Amino acid sequence: MLLTGLKSVGGADASIQYLDLFAYLKDVLAGKNSVTYTMSAFLGGDEVATFAYYLMSPLDLLFVFFQKSQLPIFYDILLALKLSLSASNMAIFLKQRFPKITGKFQLFLAISYAFCQYNIAQSCNIPWLDGVYLLPLILLGIYQLVAVDKRKGFFLLTISIACSMVFN
């Protein structure tokens, strides 16, 4: 198990589960373990479901730029990226859905969305934040489908929901 100490936000599930899963994935890419079956699980077992359930976010692939000892730092960067995407996507949604809201208030609302209590509480369960940064795009797709342009809305809604299903 990788220890995070006081230098990472990766506590609770992050330190006892996700950091180890990223370390396992590094071993898979290095050819030291298998994604289909591993003996590093309790008594050995199939890891395809674990991979699909916890490690399918495209942002997770950034772990290749970090060593195993740096995975707590990677976790912090991953959290910052997901929260930044949440704020950015919410700003895009607010700008298109509510064009009368001024830039400063849009920024305030977008940052508030990114740092809402749910997101902070889920900082130890990083896979759940994929749905948070995709939600504004799903909402924008619904809005465009219903009120603006059916073709554009259908495309955005389909892509954002498909990404949400694959990523988490």
Side-chain angles (χ1 to χ4, degrees):
M1 178 165 89
L2 297 170
L3 299 176
T4 58
L6 299 175
K7 298 180 181 175
S8 173
V9 295
D13 284 351
S15 65
I16 62 172
Q17 185 174 8
Y18 300 119
L19 292 175
D20 287 338
L21 288 172
F22 290 131
Y24 156 75
L25 198 53
K26 283 195 84 58
D27 287 343
V28 168
L29 291 179
K32 298 176 185 175
N33 217 328
S34 171
V35 75
T36 56
Y37 189 87
T38 181
M39 289 302 289
S40 59
F42 181 57
L43 291 173
D46 183 14
E47 289 297 305
V48 173
T50 301
F51 176 77
Y53 191 71
Y54 293 110
L55 301 171
M56 285 294 291
S57 175
L59 296 175
D60 291 350
L61 296 176
L62 295 173
F63 80 94
V64 299
F65 299 110
F66 296 85
Q67 298 172 358
K68 279 187 180 181
S69 62
Q70 297 172 318
L71 287 177
I73 297 167
F74 162 70
Y75 191 89
D76 293 348
I77 292 170
L78 186 61
L79 177 63
L81 282 172
K82 289 186 178 190
L83 292 179
S84 297
L85 276 173
S86 298
S88 299
N89 290 345
M90 181 53 78
I92 291 168
F93 169 73
L94 291 170
K95 184 175 184 177
Q96 292 189 21
R97 175 62 180 93
F98 304 104
K100 292 184 180 181
I101 297 176
T102 63
K104 289 180 182 179
F105 194 57
Q106 281 179 355
L107 180 64
F108 172 75
L109 290 174
I111 291 173
S112 296
Y113 175 74
F115 290 104
C116 72
Q117 193 277 333
Y118 175 83
N119 296 348
I120 301 305
Q122 294 305 326
S123 65
C124 62
N125 290 306
I126 200 112
W128 312 147
L129 295 179
D130 291 319
V132 173
Y133 70 75
L134 287 168
L135 180 62
L137 298 178
I138 293 170
L139 294 174
L140 183 59
I142 292 169
Y143 170 70
Q144 288 177 346
L145 182 68
V146 172
V148 181
D149 179 9
K150 289 191 187 307
R151 176 177 281 170
K152 189 176 177 182
F154 179 77
F155 179 75
L156 178 59
L157 184 60
T158 302
I159 296 298
S160 57
I161 288 176
C163 288
S164 179
M165 289 170 40
V166 170
F167 297 170
N168 59 21

